[in-house]
Amino acid sequence: MEALEALADPTRRRIVELLADGERSAGEIAAEFETSRPGVSRHLRVLREHGLVQAREEAQRRIYSLDPAPLAELDAWLDRYRRFWPNRLDALDTEITRRRRERR
Amino acid sequence: MSDQVATLRAEEEQVGLRFERRYDATPDEVWAALTEPESIRRWLLAEAVLEPRVGGAFSLDWSADDRADGTVRASEPPRILEADWPAQPAHPPGGIASDALAHEGPA
């Protein structure tokens, strides 16, 4: 799950959150972090490579925006777990009760 | 059965979903339901081999094309059991972590 790999970093998650509110320039993004500018650029590159953000040039600035498609894909992927586990945990409850009743 | 919490957790380099449930049962009851193969078959819907020791096997067979070889990470019967299995084509990765506290009533 590519999007999930890209999100396995707190700085990158924060960048995605910022861009969810609207596009930002590279400078505006970097200003949000104590990390060095090259460090932030590295994170932005990872996010671009995983398709989570897009960049365009405007005058002298590079403007980043969120690509919602991978996040929708991530949501669908997470849905497998969301449907699997609650059912299993319900079944575990049933099994605990069944064992208890069987012992009486 | 009470609270259920589903959170998207990010711990260091890992991101995943965690589901928490509390069961109104003793540690021994939870341990048995988690580790007995005939119980695992009923709630996890897989034929299981579970060796309740650190590094022990936790093999799960959901079907002929859908199986996983997992590992027991922590085992302190009856209170603590942690085991997980890796991703494979037919099944997402997953795991269980049980931490059962015994509440003693007045004698």
Side-chain angles (χ1 to χ4, degrees), chain B residues 59-99:
Chain B
S59 306
L60 295 162
D61 258 277
W62 283 278
S63 70
D65 304 316
D66 186 4
R67 55 179 316 282
D69 286 307
T71 311
V72 173
R73 307 293 178 186
S75 174
E76 290 175 37
R79 197 170 72 83
I80 292 175
L81 179 69
E82 290 177 22
D84 53 52
W85 65 88
Q88 40 266 315
H91 222 100
I96 54 176
S98 167
D99 190 350

Side-chain angles (χ1 to χ4, degrees), chain A residues 40-81:
Chain A
V40 175
S41 294
R42 204 161 36 243
H43 286 303
L44 284 167
R45 189 177 66 247
V46 172
L47 288 168
R48 283 175 73 180
E49 284 167 358
H50 286 78
L52 279 158
V53 307
Q54 296 163 324
R56 61 182 174 81
E57 308 296 321
E58 187 183 84
Q60 306 290 358
R61 305 187 306 160
R62 177 169 283 180
I63 309 293
Y64 284 87
S65 59
L66 204 60
D67 183 345
L71 290 172
E73 189 192 324
L74 175 60
D75 192 60
W77 185 86
L78 288 171
D79 210 44
R80 295 169 75 187
Y81 295 80

Side-chain angles (χ1 to χ4, degrees), chain A residues 20-40:
Chain A
D21 278 340
E23 59 183 25
R24 303 273 186 108
S25 71
E28 286 168 335
I29 293 169
E32 293 277 337
F33 300 99
E34 286 174 16
T35 316
S36 69
R37 185 73 187 255
V40 175

Side-chain angles (χ1 to χ4, degrees), chain B:
Chain B
M1 180 173 68
S2 56
D3 318 307
Q4 179 176 350
V5 177
T7 55
L8 184 64
R9 287 168 64 91
E11 286 170 357
E12 298 168 347
E13 293 301 302
Q14 289 197 329
V15 179
L17 276 181
R18 180 188 176 97
F19 293 87
E20 291 187 18
R21 189 78 69 92
R22 289 198 172 87
Y23 295 95
D24 194 10
T26 68
D28 284 322
E29 287 174 330
V30 174
W31 179 269
L34 289 177
T35 58
E36 301 274 334
E38 73 266 20
S39 289
I40 299 174
R41 187 185 304 132
R42 286 195 163 91
W43 72 268
L44 196 48
L45 305 178
E47 295 299 314
V49 171
L50 189 150
E51 297 171 345
R53 55 183 173 76
V54 175
F58 182 40
S59 306
L60 295 162
D61 258 277
W62 283 278
S63 70
D65 304 316
D66 186 4
R67 55 179 316 282
D69 286 307
T71 311
V72 173
R73 307 293 178 186
S75 174
E76 290 175 37
R79 197 170 72 83
I80 292 175
L81 179 69
E82 290 177 22
D84 53 52
W85 65 88
Q88 40 266 315
H91 222 100
I96 54 176
S98 167
D99 190 350
L101 305 173
H103 293 275
E104 306 282 350

